[in-house]
Amino acid sequence: AQTVTQSQPEMSVQEAETVTLSCTYDTSENNYYLFWYKQPPSRQMILVIRQEAYKQQNATENRFSVNFQKAAKSFSLKISDSQLGDTAMYFCAFMDTGRRALTFGSGTRLQVQP
Amino acid sequence: DVKVTQSSRYLVKRTGEKVFLECVQDMDHENMFWYRQDPGLGLRLIYFSYDVKMKEKGDIPEGYSVSREKKERFSLILESASTNQTSMYLCASSPRSTEAFFGQGTRLTVV
């Protein structure tokens, strides 16, 4: 069974600064996907970024980028130029191509301070 | 835009009641999922479905059942609600092996 670990329950960052959220996972699969989802106080889960395991290049989406280390089974999220609207719970998630269901970490609560 | 709609944002039920949580998606997705979200535990998979009338147990199916009579609708059923089922319930759908799209969640309180 796959497991996803987020070791930082809470983090805080100043507006305009950069912050990195950590995620590690455990799997015996070779083909899979990794995701970061954001859940603001509205409770709506929003996809932030996605990474295919077969791609060596790290995914980027505007201010969001990942550091994907397949051998180390590590998938961290970097948020640059943090904004107040980035305040949310962030969940790392894993999906293997067979099961198609997401396995989530326990989440990191990020607070962006003005 | 993909829309996943859950029938209630907040629900309060009594212990022993039969509870139905409804979820509808409008994008013809094959896959649908039910998760529960608890503080410190993240989201845990209860049941999922790849097609009409089929269902698969997730990681915590005990005390729950599901129904998928139509492709767009996936219902979660608590046969006899208990206080330890007080939680946030999230429905999601996805087209094959790609990211899931979520509803806004139902916060269920069992008293």
Side-chain angles (χ1 to χ4, degrees), chain B residues 33-78:
Chain B
F33 311 90
W34 275 106
Y35 292 88
R36 69 175 276 176
Q37 181 179 0
D38 299 288
L41 297 177
L43 281 74
R44 294 178 291 165
L45 182 66
I46 305 172
Y47 267 96
F48 58 107
S49 169
Y50 295 147
D51 202 351
V52 176
K53 295 193 186 295
M54 72 81 58
K55 59 188 177 185
E56 294 279 348
K57 290 181 180 179
D59 301 319
I60 52 163
E62 295 79 17
Y64 304 94
S65 62
V66 290
S67 172
R68 195 169 181 195
E69 294 296 318
K70 294 184 177 182
K71 191 174 185 180
E72 67 271 17
R73 187 179 295 270
F74 192 37
S75 304
L76 180 69
I77 304 156
L78 287 66

Side-chain angles (χ1 to χ4, degrees), chain A residues 37 39 43-44 50 99 102, chain B residues 37 50 98-100 102 105:
Chain A
Y37 278 87
Q39 187 182 44
R43 298 179 352 203
Q44 181 67 55
R50 158 192 161 132
R99 195 187 191 203
L102 292 165
Chain B
Q37 181 179 0
Y50 295 147
T98 183
E99 66 265 25
F102 285 82

Side-chain angles (χ1 to χ4, degrees), chain A residues 6-102:
Chain A
Q6 294 179 250
S7 58
Q8 305 152 315
E10 294 185 0
M11 294 192 74
S12 182
V13 63
Q14 293 295 124
E15 203 174 0
E17 298 288 305
T18 295
V19 64
T20 299
L21 309 184
S22 301
C23 173
T24 58
Y25 59 95
D26 190 24
T27 184
S28 58
E29 301 290 328
N30 196 43
N31 295 320
Y32 51 88
Y33 299 87
L34 293 162
F35 305 89
W36 279 98
Y37 278 87
K38 167 185 176 180
Q39 187 182 44
S42 68
R43 298 179 352 203
Q44 181 67 55
M45 293 282 280
I46 301 164
L47 178 67
V48 175
I49 201 163
R50 158 192 161 132
Q51 175 81 43
E52 290 90 344
Y54 64 86
K55 289 186 177 178
Q56 290 187 331
Q57 188 171 4
N58 289 325
T60 62
E61 286 288 340
N62 301 313
R63 299 182 294 108
F64 299 87
S65 62
V66 298
N67 183 4
F68 173 47
Q69 302 287 331
K70 190 173 184 180
K73 296 180 182 174
S74 171
F75 183 61
S76 60
L77 175 70
K78 185 171 84 170
I79 306 173
S80 304
D81 185 26
S82 296
Q83 299 176 0
L84 296 178
D86 296 333
T87 292
M89 281 289 288
Y90 287 82
F91 292 98
C92 178
F94 171 101
M95 183 180 71
D96 73 67
T97 55
R99 195 187 191 203
R100 293 184 249 169
L102 292 165

